[in-house]
Amino acid sequence: QKEVEQNSGPLSVPEGAIASLNCTYSDRGSQSFFWYRQYSGKSPELIMSIYSNGDKEDGRFTAQLNKASQYVSLLIRDSQPSDSATYLCAVNRAGDKIIFGKGTRLHILP
Amino acid sequence: DTEVTQTPKHLVMGMTNKKSLKCEQHMGHRAMYWYKQKAKKPPELMFVYSYEKLSINESVPSRFSPECPNSSLLNLHLHALQPEDSALYLCASSQEGTGVVLGYTFGSGTRLTVV
C-alpha cells in the first residue's frame, strides 16, 4: 500500500461548482496533513494544513480530516478557472518528513 | 520576508561538470529540505537539515552532496550526474514544531538538465 494515495484525475468541475479532492494515508502515527497546489512548471504552494479531526475552513477552501478512516479531503467552493492545477496531499511520517501523494489534476471548466 | 530563494532557476550541465544549487531563507526557519521532482511525479525527499545538521538522508547517491553553511543557507553540490538526474530540484524550509511537522515553504525550484 502506498503511503499517500490520491486519484490522479483529471477531475473536471464546472466553474462555480464545488470541487472535492480526496486522499488516504497508511501511517496511523501521522499527525500533520497538508494540501499543496502546484501549477504546471511551478513549485508547490501550501494552501491548507490540518492537524485534528474535523473541518478547517479558509476562504473558499475546507480541509477535512478523519484519522479513524485515515482520510483527508479538500473542498473548493465556487471553483474558478484559476483553481485549475495539480493538488498534492502531503502527510508527515516519523521524524521530520513530509511525504507527498501523486497529486490530483483539477480542471475547472469555464 | 516570507520567501525561499533558489538559484539558479535553470541549469544545464554535462556529466563531468561540478555545479552547486543554492537556497536561502530569512524567515528564521530551522529546518531546511531538498526535494527532487520529475515531470508528473510528486516531490521526493532527498535531505533534511535540522538546526544546521543533516538529520535525514533518503539514501541519495553520493553524487549529490548537501551543505548547510548557516541557518539561512542550504547548498546542494552536484558532481558526475547522469541524464536521469534531470528534474526540478526544490528547496523548502519550515519552523521546527514540537512533535508536529508544520507546513513547508517551497522555493521556486531549479530546473536541472544533465546532458
Side-chain angles (χ1 to χ4, degrees), chain B residues 3-106:
Chain B
E3 285 191 349
V4 175
T5 303
Q6 287 189 246
T7 54
K9 295 199 180 306
H10 300 275
L11 178 63
V12 179
M13 61 184 290
M15 289 187 284
T16 58
N17 292 160
K18 287 185 181 181
K19 296 287 184 183
S20 296
L21 309 184
K22 182 178 175 181
C23 174
E24 191 167 7
Q25 58 88 13
H26 295 288
M27 295 178 281
H29 288 176
R30 302 312 300 266
M32 296 185 76
Y33 313 82
W34 281 114
Y35 277 82
K36 172 183 176 179
Q37 187 177 26
K38 305 224 13 138
K40 299 192 187 302
K41 299 288 187 184
E44 294 180 359
L45 182 64
M46 300 175 72
F47 302 104
V48 179
Y49 272 83
S50 179
Y51 291 89
E52 300 159 49
K53 294 196 184 310
L54 182 65
S55 60
I56 295 174
N57 176 341
E58 288 286 283
S59 302
V60 179
S62 60
R63 58 185 184 268
F64 296 92
S65 175
E67 179 196 20
C68 189
N70 60 56
S71 60
S72 301
L73 279 176
L74 184 65
N75 298 320
L76 185 63
H77 303 298
L78 313 173
H79 173 56
L81 294 194
Q82 303 298 310
E84 59 264 29
D85 296 320
S86 299
L88 179 65
Y89 287 83
L90 294 162
C91 174
S93 69
S94 74
Q95 290 177 287
E96 280 284 289
T98 304
V100 174
V101 175
L102 304 179
Y104 294 173
T105 301
F106 278 97

Side-chain angles (χ1 to χ4, degrees), chain A residues 3-75:
Chain A
E3 292 196 63
V4 182
E5 294 209 56
Q6 296 180 254
N7 188 324
S8 60
L11 175 65
S12 295
V13 173
E15 184 175 356
I18 296 175
S20 177
L21 305 164
N22 304 314
C23 170
T24 58
Y25 62 94
S26 61
D27 184 358
R28 285 195 171 274
S30 296
Q31 301 180 61
S32 306
F33 307 87
F34 309 94
W35 284 99
Y36 283 83
R37 177 176 63 199
Q38 187 171 26
Y39 294 112
S40 181
K42 302 294 186 183
S43 63
E45 174 192 8
L46 179 65
I47 54 172
M48 290 290 285
S49 56
I50 188 167
Y51 305 99
S52 54
N53 280 329
D55 294 1
K56 178 181 178 182
E57 186 173 320
D58 184 359
R60 296 187 296 112
F61 299 100
T62 299
Q64 300 174 316
L65 174 61
N66 183 327
K67 289 186 179 180
S69 300
Q70 296 174 248
Y71 178 88
V72 193
S73 65
L74 179 70
L75 301 178

